[in-house]
């Protein structure tokens, strides 16, 4: 077959575009469905509040949608841009861009649906605090989007960087690994951030007097929950911008691909786990505000321990890039 | 590009190391988070026992961490020994 590089770049761009939008649609749909289910359940308890509940359901769903809109943008760029076929590295680069954005949108979509659903339920329980609930929900869902923004950044860098001066092998594996690292690592942090925000909306409906404390602790917990995604972003940047010695052997290339997979998969568990830990802290600060200090201290210790396996993954990923 | 047997074996070992540590990190991360969430709940219910609860949580998390450490050991063995 006498196919040239340009053909393969187009093939990779179209497959990448399909993956970006296909996976990118998963999370938002689940999150928004959860919100709608909670809103229906809330309206069935008190039909008079239907107007407020539907308003806040739509606002929450709009935010949960944003991750899949990023995926739509990347898919459109992949379909309609004429990528320069100066080097075969463009083939894995455009594919990796689709992979990063597609997988990276799953977590943020699911996560942002949780606080919106919980705010709908809370509004029916405590109609007097619906403004506070909406504000808290907006802050919480917005923070859930950060991992998908990391994935978007990496996918733009992969699309518009000029790789023509780099050696073909092992750069092809580095760009593919970078896509996996930022995409997979965004899943855990997105879902984890959503679990924290859900619990804080719940807590505000239960104990409106403690709103400020609850929102602060939620932000603290969400910030730490984002760290696994930041580690994934870090490894992606290292993989994309480090310069490699040309080599025709398979092992150096496989080490770079494995490095991306390692931090990508390794960040999923700690992201979700830290979210669960922090949701416990937020829930019980709402019930027992007097002992906020003790609860937050224990929450932070627990989150630090949950982070440890992400750090192990980072160590192995960095060893794969720099040592072996 | 002539690929030799030793090269393929090394490549497989690297890929295996990455997958071992990456997939192995999922379980302990989630499990330790659950332990911490329940410990926060327990302190909220009974703040006087904070010391005992912290100790219990850390012991439980250490046990849950063990599979993560196994993954780390296997990854290091794949990278540097085999």
């Amino acid at each position: 077959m006498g196919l040239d590089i340009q053909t393969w770049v187009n093939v990779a761009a179209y497959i990448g575009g399909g993956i970006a939008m296909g996976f990118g649609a998963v999370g938002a749909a689940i999150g928004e469905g959860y919100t709608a289910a909670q809103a229906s359940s809330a309206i069935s308890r008190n039909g008079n509040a239907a107007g407020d509940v539907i308003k806040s359901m739509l606002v929450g769903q709009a935010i949960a949608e944003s991750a899949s809109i990023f995926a739509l943008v990347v898919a459109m760029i992949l379909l309609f841009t004429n990528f320069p076929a100066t080097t075969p590295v463009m083939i894995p680069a455009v594919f990796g861009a689709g992979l990063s954005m597609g997988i990276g949108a799953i977590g943020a979509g699911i996560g942002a649906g949780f606080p919106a659903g919980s705010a709908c339920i809370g509004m029916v329980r405590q109609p007097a605090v619906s403004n506070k609930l909406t504000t808290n929900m907006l802050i919480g869902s917005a923070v859930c989007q950060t991992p998908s923004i990391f994935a978007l950044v990496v996918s733009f860098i992969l699309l518009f960087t000029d790789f023509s001066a780099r050696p073909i092998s092992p750069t092809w594996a580095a760009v593919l690994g970078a896509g996996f690292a930022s995409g997979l690592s965004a899943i855990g942090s997105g879902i984890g951030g959503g679990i924290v925000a859900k619990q804080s909306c719940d807590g505000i409906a239960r104990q409106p007097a403690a709103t400020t404390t609850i929102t602060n602790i939620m932000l603290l917990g969400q910030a730490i929950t984002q760290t696994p995604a930041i580690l994934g972003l870090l490894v992606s940047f290292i993989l994309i911008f480090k310069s490699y010695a040309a080599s025709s052997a398979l092992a150096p290339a496989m080490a770079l691909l494995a490095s991306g997979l390692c931090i990508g998969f390794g960040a999923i568990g700690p992201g979700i786990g830290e979210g669960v830990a922090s949701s416990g802290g937020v829930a019980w600060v709402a019930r027992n505000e007097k002992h906020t200090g003790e609860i937050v201290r224990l929450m932070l210790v627990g989150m630090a321990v949950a982070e440890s396996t992400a750090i192990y993954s980072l160590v192995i990923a960095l060893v794969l890039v720099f040592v072996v | 590009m002539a690929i030799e047997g030793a090269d393929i074996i090394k490549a497989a070992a690297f890929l295996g190391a990455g997958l071992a540590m990456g997939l192995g990190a999922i379980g302990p991360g989630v499990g330790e988070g659950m332990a911490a969430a329940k410990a926060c709940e327990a302190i909220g219910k009974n703040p006087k026992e904070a010391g005992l609860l912290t100790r219990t949580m850390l012991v439980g998390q250490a046990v849950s961490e063990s599979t993560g450490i196994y993954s780390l050991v296997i990854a290091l063995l794949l990278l540097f020994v085999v």
Side-chain angles (χ1 to χ4, degrees), chain A residues 248-251 254-255 258 262 265-266 269-270 273 276-277 281 284 288 291 295 298-299 302 305-306 308-309 312-313 316 319-320 324, chain B residues 1 7 11 14-15 18 21-23 25-26 28-30 32-33 36-37 39-41 43-45 47 54 57 61 65 69 75 79-80:
Chain A
S248 63
L250 195 59
M254 227 24 98
C262 180
F265 281 121
V276 173
W284 282 85
N288 192 349
H291 290 96
I295 296 174
L298 186 71
M299 176 187 102
V305 179
S308 61
T309 50
Y312 298 164
S313 300
I316 295 292
V319 167
L320 279 165
V324 297
Chain B
M1 187 162 87
D7 184 30
F14 291 159
L15 198 58
M21 189 61 243
L23 295 173
I26 297 179
V30 177
E32 286 162 17
C40 288
E41 176 181 336
I43 283 203
K45 284 186 186 156
T54 309
M57 180 193 81
Q61 285 184 322
E65 181 84 13
I69 304 216
L79 288 182
F80 296 114

Side-chain angles (χ1 to χ4, degrees), chain A:
Chain A
M1 276 196 310
L3 298 181
D4 55 357
I5 299 171
Q6 184 69 56
T7 313
W8 286 112
V9 170
N10 287 346
V11 167
Y14 294 157
I15 298 178
I19 289 181
M21 195 58 247
F23 279 109
V26 173
I30 296 178
E32 287 164 28
Y34 176 85
T35 309
Q38 296 296 87
S40 304
S41 148
I43 292 174
S44 78
R45 282 190 209 173
N46 180 4
N48 292 332
D52 273 349
V53 170
I54 290 177
K55 216 185 315 164
S56 105
M57 175 191 88
L58 288 175
V59 174
Q61 286 179 325
I63 299 184
E65 186 80 21
S66 55
S68 74
I69 295 179
F70 298 159
L72 181 67
V73 169
V74 169
M76 289 288 191
I77 292 176
L78 282 168
L79 294 190
F80 295 115
T81 308
N82 223 339
F83 292 102
T86 45
T87 159
V89 176
M90 273 318 276
I91 302 167
V94 294
F95 182 73
L99 207 60
S100 161
M101 190 61 245
I103 309 177
I106 295 177
I110 298 180
F114 289 149
S118 171
C120 291
I121 295 278
M123 228 163 250
V124 169
R125 259 199 230 156
Q126 292 269 19
V129 291
S130 33
N131 281 339
K132 282 182 182 174
L133 269 174
T134 310
T135 314
N136 187 70
M137 172 196 88
L138 289 176
I139 299 174
S141 329
V143 177
C144 291
Q145 301 303 322
T146 43
S148 74
I149 296 174
F150 294 162
L152 182 70
V153 168
V154 168
S155 111
F156 277 155
I157 291 176
L158 285 176
L159 287 180
F160 299 114
T161 304
D162 181 17
F163 291 104
S164 53
R166 313 279 196 90
I168 296 165
S169 178
T171 309
W172 67 269
V175 294
L176 210 53
F180 274 118
S182 64
L184 289 171
S185 67
I187 296 178
S189 295
I191 297 179
I195 299 174
V196 184
K198 169 183 189 286
Q199 220 34 271
S200 81
C201 289
D202 218 45
I204 289 176
R206 193 179 278 269
Q207 192 62 265
T211 303
T212 316
T213 319
I214 294 173
T215 306
N216 285 342
I217 309 252
M218 173 192 83
L219 285 174
L220 175 68
Q222 282 191 315
I224 301 176
T225 307
Q226 303 305 320
T227 48
I230 296 176
L231 299 183
L233 184 71
L234 173 76
V235 171
S236 309
F237 280 167
I238 292 175
L239 283 172
I240 295 175
F241 294 116
K242 186 177 181 294
S243 58
Y244 306 98
S247 138
S248 63
L250 195 59
M254 227 24 98
L256 298 176
L257 182 61
S259 160
L261 286 172
C262 180
I263 188 66
F265 281 121
I268 296 178
I272 298 178
E274 284 170 30
V276 173
S278 164
S279 78
V282 170
W284 282 85
V285 164
R287 288 173 172 82
N288 192 349
E289 201 194 352
K290 248 196 330 193
H291 290 96
T292 302
E294 284 100 320
I295 296 174
V296 171
R297 201 165 337 124
L298 186 71
M299 176 187 102
L300 289 176
V301 174
M303 292 174 87
V305 179
E307 179 84 14
S308 61
T309 50
I311 307 271
Y312 298 164
S313 300
L314 180 69
V315 170
I316 295 292
L318 293 180
V319 167
L320 279 165
V321 175
F322 291 106
V323 182
V324 297

